[in-house]
Amino acid sequence: MAQPAYVQGTLDTLLSADGSVDPAAVSLADTTFVVLDLETTGGAPDGGGITEIGAVKVRAGEQLAEFGTLVNPGEPLPPFITVLTGITEAMLRPAPPIETVLPALLEFLRGAVLVAHNAPYDVGFLKAACAKHGYPWPAPRVLDTAALARRALTRDEVPNRKLGTLAHFFRSVVQPNHRALDDAKATVDVLHGLIERLGSFRVHTLGDAIEFAKAITPAQRNRRHLADGLPHVPGIYVFRAADDRPLYVGKSNDIGKRVRSYFTASEKRPRMSEMLTAAVRVEAVECAHELEAEVRELRLIAAHSPPYNRRSKYPERVVWLKLTDEVFPRLSVVRRFGTDGATHLGPFSSRRTAELAAAAVYDAVPLRQCNHKLSLRTRTPACALAELGRCPAPCEHEISPQEYDLRAAAPFRTATSGDPGPVIEAILARIDTLSDKQRYEEAATVRSRLIALLRALIRMQRLDALTRLPEIVAARRDDKGGWEIVVIRHGRLAAAATSPPREHPRPTLDAVRLTAETVLPGPGPVPAASAEETERILAWLDRVDTRLVETSGDWVSPARGAARFTALLTRAESAASTQDSTVRLSVTDRSYDARSLRL
């Protein structure tokens, strides 16, 4: 029978909800420990099988109390256990059962840190006994002397981490003999010896000891001091190398707590271990609130491109779909939003995504897909798309510029700035046609194109609605009763502040507006900031507890704009994330029928 899962507490559990230090985070010298040992029948922890309990309560190197008793396991004692421990069935017959012993033992454990050698074994038996007999497990913090010894002692010092070996190494007064109380007393001496050794590793508190016992890398152990003295406030942190280069930039609502987590066993990313090896200091920048921290993180990553950050490093590497200014316009993938007044769609994070959205447009409207420069005087031979009926052949003058604009170019222009309904319905109709013909793979491909197009349309119209405004002032309550205040200009965070609790926020708001960054307007949906920054601001504004204080104009989106297809996008993305059989089913049952999704 498998033992119950045992998970040692993490450093995060030492902090209260309000960020204050938990009493258990005091120094090891001031911590009360209950050092415990069990003798059992050798079986699995099923709620019984305990034959003896020994426990010693200590603090600051002094013994405070002892707890020891034999326990009637209610089952035969295997002979090899008698040989090992010297405990016989005759000794256990008058002993109390575990359900009688548990109340006194749990009271003995109250308020103390549980220490045991190979703690998962002892804790597993006690938890199973509590569960079987209806006693709530108090979930004390647990320190495993075997795990501590594995980290603190080398193979040259001790050949193994057995209790007898460690007791001999630390010259314990009482040597372990497979009797619970004697083994607990020996573990006390081992614990004290290990605590003395931990000082050289800069481990001085219970939280440090718990984390030290876990499998952390040498780099994490050697760089723990980098987290010392960092503030417990919202902001950003920068790991810097010896030459002052930023290695990694992050943000958190609690800088000190977040940075400390990089030096714990919960941090398992190999690249972070490599980064910690190169880091020599951590720089903290306090921010007014979480939104300012998010924005400053994005800007610092974009400015310095830290080698160990993976996201948001190159916000300028975006592409756009541009409707060219020609007699017969076509879609072109460009690097910059032009100032010539042409219609653009984007920004896209990659050329592949832009081409996927363009393919969706080609499924809906007869825009030409060739790159030829067409003339009204000279004809150009048509390509295969014209023969397949996918292009109106403007190259052969089969369609006039006015009709081409009406059928092909105008729907795309309208979709980017107004109602994309005709384009979306045409794509849905194509999916319906393909599904009717049982061409499910092709229908799934068209659906992927639809997803790319819808994402771009919804995103661009949301960005454009906000960035057109010269200024928005908004606020929301924080957890302490104050107000988080932001000033947004053309989609860029121009200023941020937090007003104190129990004070009117107007003076803070007026002051922050006077010192806010001047932001000039520009072309496109992201004229003054990266798309990711403006989207973070939009997410903050969309929160139910955010209040708009002042705006310099109307913050509006098209009445029949792309946002009305948000539900369709969600359904399409959900279907695309399932297995192929589910995709075929969702297409077959016509869940994307244009008629049923017309809003």
Side-chain angles (χ1 to χ4, degrees):
M1 181 176 178
Q3 295 189 12
Y6 169 75
V7 180
Q8 213 168 40
T10 65
L11 189 62
D12 294 344
T13 64
L14 301 179
L15 297 177
S16 303
D18 60 357
S20 60
V21 179
D22 190 279
V26 297
S27 68
L28 291 170
D30 296 326
T31 301
T32 301
F33 299 100
V34 170
V35 184
L36 178 138
D37 185 77
L38 302 180
E39 298 299 331
T40 70
T41 58
D46 57 359
I50 298 175
T51 60
E52 188 176 25
I53 299 174
V56 181
K57 183 175 291 187
V58 295
R59 183 175 63 241
E62 296 184 5
Q63 180 173 320
L64 304 180
E66 291 183 3
F67 182 100
T69 180
L70 291 169
V71 179
N72 189 336
E75 60 185 71
L77 192 65
F80 77 92
I81 295 295
T82 299
V83 173
L84 180 68
T85 65
I87 299 173
T88 65
E89 290 196 10
M91 297 167 61
L92 297 179
R93 195 172 297 115
I98 186 61
E99 59 266 29
T100 305
V101 175
L102 276 176
L105 176 61
L106 296 178
E107 183 61 32
F108 193 76
L109 290 172
R110 185 185 301 276
V113 176
L114 176 60
V115 179
H117 198 74
N118 292 319
Y121 182 83
D122 300 273
V123 171
F125 271 90
L126 291 179
K127 288 180 69 174
C130 287
K132 181 176 181 179
H133 299 289
Y135 292 100
W137 175 243
R141 290 183 174 84
V142 178
L143 201 57
D144 188 348
T145 51
L148 279 176
R150 279 191 288 270
R151 311 298 172 209
L153 302 176
T154 66
R155 286 287 181 183
D156 293 335
E157 295 175 300
V158 289
N160 56 61
R161 274 63 175 182
K162 295 179 180 179
L163 181 58
T165 303
L166 297 176
H168 177 75
F169 178 78
F170 287 113
R171 299 178 182 177
S172 173
V173 176
V174 179
Q175 290 297 312
N177 56 10
H178 296 291
R179 292 300 302 268
L181 191 55
D182 285 346
D183 285 6
K185 291 178 179 179
T187 306
V188 169
D189 291 335
V190 171
L191 173 66
H192 289 158
L194 288 171
I195 289 176
E196 290 181 6
R197 180 64 65 92
L198 292 179
S200 62
F201 294 97
R202 298 184 180 181
V203 174
H204 304 292
T205 67
L206 173 63
D208 291 338
I210 291 175
E211 288 299 332
F212 183 83
K214 296 183 179 181
I216 62 175
T217 65
Q220 289 175 306
R221 184 173 294 115
N222 296 334
R223 296 292 194 275
R224 289 173 61 91
H225 65 280
L226 298 182
D228 295 343
L230 294 178
H232 294 280
V233 296
I236 58 174
Y237 52 90
V238 184
F239 284 88
R240 292 190 179 272
D243 58 0
D244 217 33
R245 288 182 304 113
L247 297 173
Y248 183 81
V249 177
K251 62 92 183 172
S252 175
N253 283 332
D254 186 326
I255 298 175
K257 181 179 178 181
R258 181 68 185 98
V259 172
R260 185 172 289 274
S261 71
Y262 285 91
F263 308 101
T264 66
S266 61
E267 179 54 73
K268 301 182 183 300
R269 293 172 290 180
R271 64 190 178 91
M272 289 295 103
S273 179
E274 181 181 324
M275 183 272 293
L276 292 176
T277 302
V280 297
R281 69 185 179 93
V282 179
E283 178 182 293
V285 180
E286 298 185 22
C287 296
H289 45 70
E290 181 181 4
L291 178 60
E292 184 186 9
E294 290 182 3
V295 170
R296 288 190 179 275
E297 178 195 29
L298 291 174
R299 293 179 184 176
L300 274 176
I301 293 174
H304 299 288
S305 300
Y308 293 97
N309 283 96
R310 288 183 174 175
R311 302 180 60 183
S312 311
K313 291 175 67 170
Y314 306 106
E316 72 281 0
R317 294 183 183 179
V318 296
V319 296
W320 302 79
L321 277 181
K322 177 182 178 181
L323 187 65
T324 59
D325 185 16
E326 301 178 69
V327 176
F328 298 104
R330 59 186 175 84
L331 291 180
S332 175
V333 179
V334 297
R335 290 288 183 184
R336 298 183 182 277
F337 192 98
T339 58
D340 54 0
T343 300
H344 291 72
L345 177 62
F348 296 93
S349 59
S350 68
R351 186 180 186 91
R352 178 183 176 278
T353 309
E355 291 174 345
L356 199 62
V361 177
Y362 297 142
D363 285 329
V365 296
L367 276 172
R368 67 185 182 97
Q369 301 180 37
C370 61
N371 295 325
H372 301 302
K373 188 173 182 180
L374 303 183
S375 169
L376 288 176
R377 296 181 178 180
T378 306
R379 294 187 178 186
T380 303
C383 62
L385 290 175
E387 298 178 4
L388 295 173
R390 298 291 304 277
C391 179
C395 50
E396 293 189 335
H397 298 172
E398 296 292 333
I399 186 172
S400 68
Q402 295 76 18
E403 186 179 358
Y404 179 87
D405 185 83
L406 180 64
R407 290 176 52 193
F412 178 75
R413 294 193 191 97
T414 304
T416 59
S417 59
D419 182 11
V423 173
I424 301 304
E425 291 188 6
I427 299 173
L428 294 173
R430 177 161 175 76
I431 293 176
D432 281 345
T433 300
L434 292 171
S435 64
D436 288 342
K437 296 179 180 180
Q438 298 185 4
R439 294 160 62 180
Y440 302 123
E441 288 78 9
E442 293 178 63
T445 300
V446 176
R447 183 192 56 215
S448 298
R449 299 170 182 171
L450 171 66
I451 291 172
L453 179 62
L454 270 178
R455 283 176 180 166
L457 290 171
I458 294 172
R459 184 190 195 200
M460 181 171 173
Q461 291 189 7
R462 276 173 52 83
L463 292 172
D464 188 63
L466 180 63
T467 56
R468 282 200 307 263
L469 292 174
E471 182 177 275
I472 285 183
V473 180
R476 65 176 294 272
R477 283 280 189 185
D478 63 16
D479 297 335
K480 299 178 181 178
W483 286 90
E484 298 177 358
I485 300 171
V486 298
V487 178
I488 304 157
R489 292 175 177 172
H490 294 294
R492 181 180 177 87
L493 183 65
T498 300
S499 67
R502 297 178 295 279
E503 292 186 15
H504 199 284
R506 174 55 67 175
T508 303
L509 190 152
D510 292 338
V512 77
R513 288 185 68 183
L514 292 174
T515 58
E517 177 185 0
T518 299
V519 180
L520 300 178
V526 284
S530 67
E532 192 171 359
E533 175 178 334
T534 305
E535 286 180 313
R536 298 286 180 92
I537 294 171
L538 279 167
W540 190 87
L541 292 173
D542 285 342
R543 296 176 64 166
V544 294
D545 53 349
T546 299
R547 301 184 185 183
L548 294 182
V549 181
E550 296 177 8
T551 64
S552 58
D554 295 330
W555 183 16
V556 295
S557 295
R560 294 184 61 80
R564 64 194 179 100
F565 292 102
T566 301
L568 170 62
L569 175 61
T570 302
R571 291 165 58 188
E573 289 175 330
S574 176
S577 65
T578 59
Q579 300 297 324
D580 287 347
S581 58
T582 306
V583 170
R584 293 191 184 97
L585 176 61
S586 65
V587 173
T588 304
D589 68 10
R590 308 181 69 83
S591 62
Y592 297 107
D593 190 325
R595 292 166 292 183
S596 66
L597 291 170
R598 201 176 276 120
L599 303 179

